[in-house]
Amino acid sequence: MLMFWVQFVLVLGAVLVGIRRGGVALGLIGGMGVSLLVLGFRSSPSEPPIAVMLIILAVVTASATLQVAGGLDYLVQLTERMLRAHPKYVTILAPLSTFFLTVCVGTGHAVYALLPVIADVAIKTGIRPERPMAISSVASQMGITASPVAAAVTFFLGFAAKAGHPVTLIDIISITMPAGVVGVLAAAAWSFNRGKDLDKDPEYQARLQDPEFRKALDADVTTLDKKISGTAKLSVALFFAGVATIILFAVFPDLLPLGADKKPVPMTTVVQFVMLAFGAFIMFAADVKAKEIAHSSVFTAGMIAVVSIFGIAWMSDTFISANKKFLVDNIGVMVKMAPWTFAIATFCISAFVKSQAATLAITLPLGLALGLPVPLLLGLVPASYAYFFFAFYPSDLAAINFDRTGTTRIGKYLLNHSFMIPGLIGVSVSTVVAYGISRVIL
């Protein structure tokens, strides 16, 4: 027992130090943790998550190529047209837009270009910007677990295949997509009447007395005047064609050739070569320079995710494999009797590990070791998003900065910020819905 707790403190300490350092530090320190477990405690190292890392590499490279080609700008412009056509419903339409934008491109970083537009639409309609802004930031991250090309989804796909309990991409999306939409709608419904209207908010009215503040509010924010090239539109069509190809093979695996084991090529491999191929199609069609792809924000964020998952997943899996008997004997019965406790543990870890893929890399091997079936773990996947809790994530900070009225903010007591209640509602509702669906269809 003593050895278990010593190793547990080591692993937990490595995670906390990695989080504090940020960036690729989580992966580097995770690798150091593997070294200490193997050389210091004589544990057998588990296999690093190679397949998952390759999937993320392929998807991120294709998404980065789309960004450089101007495809993300085109998607943002289409979304702005819809929001400005129906401004009174911005509190509902904005979070649904950010959710599906993430679903389409596999990363929540696409939301930054849309946030100033959402704030502008709200201000010009007389709607308190906090209402759509906070839930839109939250919804952009909730969309990750519903995207067929997001790192968290592809990680679960690879994890389930490695665990010997494979689920298809369609299985995952058929659970996380409706659960995410219901969660977003529930949080948006609560947001509809949150806070005081701008004309009744004494703090806002007092700030209006400042001429500089009023001038800032009059500034026009739009992407509609940005010229979108034909190649940018073509890049979007090609990217979606790649996603559609993956879904087609997932629905009709008989279309794939048989491997050496006389079974169709696994979907974890299909995602890799299809996304790389369509990334190449976009590169040639839009004449994208390879150097620009490597320097794009999407590519940088994706590479950080790869390194983080490499180290942290390897360390967690090595620790769990070495202590599987202890975990099952002491915790397994409780978790089986009340699986919702595992969702709470996942949520708590995510509040510090600001990546859903990295959170799942830590928690899924533990859930499997505790005897939780893969379908049940899939139903708890929405709980892997909790980094809104401290409101330090870039999309939350961006929402605060883009709200020129100052209604979207971090409160005096740190946790009483604009994102807390929408986040808790969205994640809890989507987790309950996903868990319920998973018990019915899997």
Side-chain angles (χ1 to χ4, degrees), residues 364-376:
L364 290 181
L366 175 59
L368 193 67
L370 294 174
L372 296 179
V374 168
L376 188 148

Side-chain angles (χ1 to χ4, degrees), residues 63-64 66-67 70-80 83 94 97-118 136-137 139-141 143-144 147 149 223 236 239-240 296-299 301-302 393-395 398 402:
S63 298
L66 174 70
Q67 181 187 26
L72 289 184
D73 292 335
Y74 179 51
L75 290 173
V76 169
Q77 194 174 88
L78 290 176
T79 305
E80 180 178 355
L83 293 177
S97 298
T98 60
F99 176 86
F100 282 110
L101 184 61
T102 297
V103 168
C104 290
V105 301
T107 173
H109 293 289
V111 75
Y112 301 128
L114 201 52
L115 287 173
V117 172
I118 295 170
S136 293
S137 177
S140 71
Q141 303 306 314
I144 288 174
S147 171
V149 291
T223 65
V236 172
F239 187 85
F240 286 166
S296 67
S297 60
V298 169
F299 189 82
Y393 196 71
S395 63
F402 284 129

Side-chain angles (χ1 to χ4, degrees), residues 133-144 183-184 187 190 194 343-344 346-356 359 381-397 399-400 408-411 413-431:
M133 291 291 279
I135 179 55
S136 293
S137 177
V138 168
S140 71
Q141 303 306 314
M142 289 176 63
I144 288 174
V184 168
W190 178 85
R194 74 175 306 184
I344 293 176
T346 301
F347 182 88
C348 292
I349 290 172
S350 177
F352 297 95
V353 181
K354 298 188 180 302
S355 162
Q356 292 173 64
T359 298
V381 160
S384 63
Y385 167 49
Y387 39 86
F388 66 85
F389 196 82
F390 295 108
F392 292 152
Y393 196 71
S395 63
D396 298 333
L397 297 177
I400 292 170
T408 308
R409 57 194 170 184
I410 295 176
Y413 302 104
L414 185 63
L415 296 182
N416 60 329
H417 52 71
S418 297
F419 312 93
M420 180 63 81
I421 298 180
L424 291 174
I425 292 174
V427 171
S428 59
V429 169
S430 61
T431 302

Side-chain angles (χ1 to χ4, degrees), residues 56-381:
I56 297 172
L57 275 170
V59 171
V60 164
T61 304
S63 298
T65 309
L66 174 70
Q67 181 187 26
V68 175
L72 289 184
D73 292 335
Y74 179 51
L75 290 173
V76 169
Q77 194 174 88
L78 290 176
T79 305
E80 180 178 355
R81 285 201 180 100
M82 179 193 66
L83 293 177
R84 293 196 183 278
H86 308 281
K88 291 183 179 180
Y89 304 103
V90 67
T91 305
I92 293 289
L93 294 179
L96 287 176
S97 298
T98 60
F99 176 86
F100 282 110
L101 184 61
T102 297
V103 168
C104 290
V105 301
T107 173
H109 293 289
V111 75
Y112 301 128
L114 201 52
L115 287 173
V117 172
I118 295 170
D120 194 58
V121 171
I123 291 170
K124 287 181 168 52
T125 314
I127 294 172
R128 184 182 180 89
E130 180 186 33
R131 296 171 183 172
M133 291 291 279
I135 179 55
S136 293
S137 177
V138 168
S140 71
Q141 303 306 314
M142 289 176 63
I144 288 174
T145 54
S147 171
V149 291
V153 172
T154 53
F155 179 85
F156 194 98
L157 191 68
F159 164 80
K162 181 181 176 182
H165 304 279
V167 295
T168 67
L169 191 61
I170 300 302
D171 290 333
I172 298 173
I173 301 304
S174 63
I175 290 172
T176 56
M177 176 72 78
V181 170
V182 173
V184 168
L185 288 175
W190 178 85
S191 301
F192 230 91
N193 295 305
R194 74 175 306 184
K196 295 180 180 179
D197 292 334
L198 291 180
D199 59 351
K200 299 174 183 176
D201 188 334
E203 183 178 341
Y204 173 75
Q205 291 299 318
R207 296 181 70 187
L208 277 179
Q209 305 307 312
D210 182 355
E212 291 297 321
F213 180 72
R214 286 203 309 273
K215 184 179 178 180
L217 292 180
D218 293 335
D220 196 24
V221 178
T222 182
T223 65
L224 298 181
D225 56 0
K226 187 172 186 176
K227 185 174 177 58
I228 302 296
S229 66
T231 54
K233 298 176 182 179
L234 177 59
S235 71
V236 172
L238 288 171
F239 187 85
F240 286 166
V243 176
T245 301
I246 292 171
I247 294 174
L248 178 67
F249 286 134
V251 176
F252 303 105
D254 292 340
L255 295 175
L256 293 167
L258 299 179
D261 56 357
K262 303 302 181 183
K263 295 180 180 179
V265 176
M267 282 304 300
T268 50
T269 303
V270 172
V271 173
Q272 294 170 39
F273 65 70
V274 168
M275 291 312 297
L276 284 175
F278 277 89
F281 294 156
I282 295 171
M283 180 178 66
F284 290 126
D287 194 23
V288 172
K289 293 186 173 78
K291 183 178 180 180
E292 293 179 357
I293 298 172
H295 287 86
S296 67
S297 60
V298 169
F299 189 82
T300 301
M303 292 308 100
I304 290 173
V306 170
V307 176
S308 296
I309 288 172
F310 182 20
I312 207 69
W314 198 5
M315 178 181 68
S316 300
D317 201 26
T318 298
F319 166 72
I320 290 165
S321 298
N323 296 279
K324 185 174 181 179
K325 186 178 185 305
F326 178 89
L327 290 167
V328 172
D329 291 345
N330 292 275
I331 307 174
V333 175
M334 182 193 72
V335 173
K336 284 183 179 179
M337 290 178 61
W340 55 268
T341 58
F342 192 78
I344 293 176
T346 301
F347 182 88
C348 292
I349 290 172
S350 177
F352 297 95
V353 181
K354 298 188 180 302
S355 162
Q356 292 173 64
T359 298
L360 293 176
I362 295 171
T363 60
L364 290 181
L366 175 59
L368 193 67
L370 294 174
L372 296 179
V374 168
L376 188 148
L377 291 173
L378 176 55
L380 302 180
V381 160

